[in-house]
Amino acid sequence: MIKYQLLQGNNTNLPVHGFQDSITASKLTNQRSPAGVHLGRSPKPRKWAIFEAPMLRNYKPLLPIAANSLFNRLQPSVFQRSLPPLSRSSSGSPKMASNESIKPENEDQLKATFEQKRVLRSSVRKALKAMDPSLRYQEDNAIQSIVLEAPWFKSSQRLCAYVSCNALREVDTSRLLSETLQYPPKDGCSKKIFVPRVEDKNSHMRMFNISCMDDLIANSMNILEPAPVDGDGNEREDVMQTKEPMDLFLLPGLAFDKSGRRLGRGGGYYDTFLRNYQELAKARNWKQPLLVALSYSVQIMDEGIIPLTPNDVLIDALVSPSGVIPISSVGLDKMKV
């Protein structure tokens, strides 16, 4: 039996780089984030890098409520016991988990993996449902502010981002999208934004360009999506048919870990789409986009908790309320650690 272990309950050994707002920074000195990460200057260099964001008040009394259900016990599967250990590079930075070596030996092993994912999804959904609304609102604002102020976001000219759904308890992206679409950038580059549209129940999803939030309409599940054609009857630009590469993908998910594993909702839409786009970029000799997931504190788990299958796509970085956690070598390079 194992326990789900969250980032905020562990010694992360992550150095914290001071937030640019001097007033906020002064208040944060010698405090700790919900993750237990020391704020302000670290007394000694550490192995991981996390870029500090404005911290939220009343974390400690509220986080246990939201996180409590994640500490249910989960029977480890045969597949989990066969997972290769995660290691670190000689430079001290985290090493990405590799799904190329994850090859289930038989059908029973694969079934056990999917069952483990199902149980984990159920537990994370309970934790999200138990999350205090005021804490969720604060974390939404913190995460979006981090992204909007990040140099790697400002420099991205073409990006794909999900439209958050409140019923699914996804990290909110409404302010991020509306501000990016509504206001011309004061610094950085102008942006072209693509958002998803689910085409069927067979993991088929497309990404269409939008110019304003009014381009979105509610589907049968009351999730906002772009119509395939605009108000003038013209077909919207499709990511898979564009002549220019994407710089950035902002991704949702149910759970994430510090080796780049992402647990989706089970439909396979994002993993399928990302693999198709990566193949397109490779065929056209484009630079692969930066894959960044947005995550509430209760969604971040320790390495090895999230099972990995050959079809899973690993992320390059995480954005949590505490800041940005670069994971892959691409993420470390883009975030200038």
Side-chain angles (χ1 to χ4, degrees):
M1 302 294 285
I2 61 174
K3 286 187 177 181
Y4 299 146
Q5 297 179 339
L6 302 180
L7 178 62
Q8 58 261 40
N10 302 324
N11 294 322
T12 56
N13 292 327
L14 310 181
V16 175
H17 299 260
F19 187 64
Q20 297 302 313
D21 187 330
S22 59
I23 298 177
T24 304
S26 64
K27 294 180 180 179
L28 296 175
T29 305
N30 297 323
Q31 296 180 6
R32 288 182 179 268
S33 73
V37 180
H38 213 16
L39 305 182
R41 297 193 177 185
S42 177
K44 62 171 92 171
R46 303 197 178 181
K47 295 182 179 179
W48 280 50
I50 185 168
F51 297 98
E52 181 187 335
M55 301 314 300
L56 311 175
R57 297 190 178 197
N58 301 321
Y59 260 121
K60 291 185 178 179
L62 293 176
L63 276 173
I65 300 174
N68 198 28
S69 63
L70 279 184
F71 288 89
N72 297 326
R73 292 183 177 271
L74 173 66
Q75 180 67 42
S77 66
V78 176
F79 178 77
Q80 185 192 36
R81 292 196 293 271
S82 68
L83 287 177
L86 297 170
S87 59
R88 296 183 182 274
S89 64
S90 58
S91 64
S93 61
K95 184 176 180 180
M96 288 280 284
S98 173
N99 57 351
E100 293 181 359
S101 61
I102 304 300
K103 297 179 180 179
E105 297 178 356
N106 54 59
E107 186 177 350
D108 289 339
Q109 196 175 70
L110 190 58
K111 286 182 179 179
T113 301
F114 286 127
E115 174 62 15
Q116 185 179 345
K117 284 192 173 187
R118 185 193 66 78
V119 175
L120 183 55
R121 287 188 184 100
S122 177
S123 182
V124 177
R125 288 190 181 101
K126 290 178 182 178
L128 288 171
K129 187 176 181 179
M131 193 173 181
D132 186 276
S134 63
L135 174 61
R136 182 181 167 193
Y137 175 78
Q138 290 174 325
E139 294 203 4
D140 281 331
N141 282 333
I143 292 168
Q144 291 180 94
S145 295
I146 293 167
V147 175
L148 287 168
E149 293 300 319
W152 48 266
F153 178 78
K154 292 180 179 181
S155 63
S156 297
Q157 294 179 280
R158 293 169 296 278
L159 63 101
C160 293
Y162 69 95
V163 181
S164 57
C165 175
N166 186 62
L168 296 177
R169 295 180 173 83
E170 295 173 325
V171 172
D172 189 18
T173 58
S174 58
R175 180 166 70 91
L176 190 158
L177 290 174
S178 60
E179 288 188 15
T180 303
L181 290 167
Q182 185 175 359
Y183 302 107
K186 296 179 181 178
D187 50 4
C189 306
S190 59
K191 303 187 189 311
K192 180 177 284 188
I193 296 181
F194 296 78
V195 296
R197 176 183 173 85
V198 173
E199 295 293 302
D200 54 39
K201 295 182 179 180
N202 298 315
S203 303
H204 183 203
M205 182 176 74
R206 301 171 72 183
M207 290 272 190
F208 290 109
N209 175 233
I210 59 171
S211 57
C212 65
M213 297 299 284
D214 290 338
D215 289 342
L216 301 174
I217 57 176
N219 65 10
S220 59
M221 300 290 292
N222 204 33
I223 298 174
L224 294 176
E225 296 181 332
V229 296
D230 60 23
D232 298 324
N234 300 315
E235 290 188 5
R236 296 189 187 278
E237 185 178 1
D238 187 324
V239 163
M240 299 302 292
Q241 297 173 1
T242 185
K243 296 181 180 180
E244 297 178 301
M246 295 295 108
D247 299 312
L248 172 68
F249 278 78
L250 295 178
L251 305 172
L254 268 178
F256 313 91
D257 76 10
K258 296 171 287 182
S259 62
R261 300 183 185 192
R262 170 188 168 273
L263 180 70
R265 297 182 180 275
Y269 288 95
Y270 274 92
D271 286 323
T272 300
F273 182 87
L274 290 172
R275 285 198 171 276
N276 289 338
Y277 182 83
Q278 288 174 338
E279 291 175 5
L280 175 68
K282 184 177 180 180
R284 296 187 179 180
N285 200 29
W286 287 345
K287 189 175 183 179
Q288 293 290 345
L290 183 69
L291 305 182
V292 179
L294 309 185
S295 173
Y296 292 120
S297 299
V298 299
Q299 295 177 289
I300 302 177
M301 300 185 173
D302 273 348
E303 298 171 0
I305 298 298
I306 300 176
L308 194 64
T309 61
N311 292 326
D312 293 337
V313 176
L314 302 175
I315 59 174
D316 295 307
L318 269 174
V319 180
S320 78
S322 300
V324 178
I325 305 174
I327 298 172
S328 71
S329 58
V330 174
L332 290 165
D333 179 64
K334 289 283 187 179
M335 278 72 179
K336 306 296 183 184
V337 176

